[in-house]
Amino acid sequence: MKRADSGKYPQPGLRVRCERGVDPGIRQSCLNFAVWLSSKMEFPIRVVVYLKKDYQIKNRYSKELVSATFFALYSAVWLTRLFITNNG
């Protein structure tokens, strides 16, 4: 198995991506939490958290409306995604 830093895979670590329209207070709180969490835990693979401006999003598999969903690829790609809505 290849290491996450071998060049073929994305750089490891926790990333936060925010859509336009996400409440600035929620955005900053999530960024602060991500910095704190990264100082306490190691992320050997890339984990991307997407903050969505919508109140609910549709789960890609069950088609249900949800406030958060988790997506991990079932392959050798070292990438995990978590989508969280702006329930404010």
Side-chain angles (χ1 to χ4, degrees):
M1 184 179 292
K2 294 199 179 240
R3 292 173 38 108
D5 60 357
S6 69
K8 182 178 178 182
Y9 300 107
Q11 291 182 356
L14 179 63
R15 308 286 193 274
V16 178
R17 305 282 305 193
C18 299
E19 272 188 354
R20 287 181 192 220
V22 171
D23 180 89
I26 292 174
R27 178 184 181 276
Q28 192 59 54
S29 294
C30 289
L31 291 173
N32 291 344
F33 179 71
V35 169
W36 175 82
L37 188 60
S38 294
S39 73
K40 302 294 182 190
M41 293 185 66
E42 181 181 344
F43 291 88
I45 63 172
R46 179 176 285 187
V47 177
V48 183
V49 177
Y50 293 91
L51 298 178
K52 309 297 271 179
K53 66 181 178 184
D54 301 318
Y55 184 73
Q56 290 185 316
I57 54 178
K58 190 179 287 190
N59 181 292
R60 119 189 273 171
Y61 299 107
S62 68
K63 307 300 183 203
E64 291 179 275
L65 291 176
V66 295
S67 60
T69 185
F70 174 80
F71 173 72
L73 298 173
Y74 295 106
S75 68
V77 177
W78 295 84
L79 181 63
T80 302
R81 296 180 179 125
L82 176 67
F83 296 90
I84 303 173
T85 62
N86 186 20
N87 281 327

